[in-house]
Amino acid sequence: MLIDRNYWYYRDKHYPEDPANYWGPEFNYENFDPKLGIRPAWKFIGDVVNFWIQEYHIDGIR
């Protein structure tokens, strides 16, 4: 399965004026999927946090 890069990540550097802090593709938190009615990057991060809370009973995220 291939990842649609433009669906998940910004097409270009999100902050081109700060190349020293560019670590690779950045999640596009602004993208909204009207078919699903969600912002996919936000949903993914929320699902990951919920996994860690449920599976490992963590009580905080740093």
Side-chain angles (χ1 to χ4, degrees):
M1 177 161 81
L2 296 175
I3 293 176
D4 182 356
R5 188 184 193 307
N6 295 330
Y7 182 81
W8 287 99
Y9 303 105
Y10 289 106
R11 171 167 275 164
D12 299 312
K13 292 180 182 176
H14 189 56
Y15 297 104
E17 68 279 357
D18 191 12
N21 281 325
Y22 181 72
W23 293 46
E26 301 168 274
F27 271 133
N28 184 351
Y29 293 106
E30 299 166 2
N31 182 34
F32 181 77
D33 186 331
K35 288 189 271 182
L36 298 175
I38 61 168
R39 295 189 185 278
W42 282 101
K43 172 87 169 89
F44 174 73
I45 296 300
D47 290 348
V48 169
V49 170
N50 282 328
F51 170 82
W52 281 91
I53 290 170
Q54 292 173 4
E55 292 295 319
Y56 296 101
H57 309 289
I58 63 169
D59 59 2
I61 303 281
R62 294 176 196 229

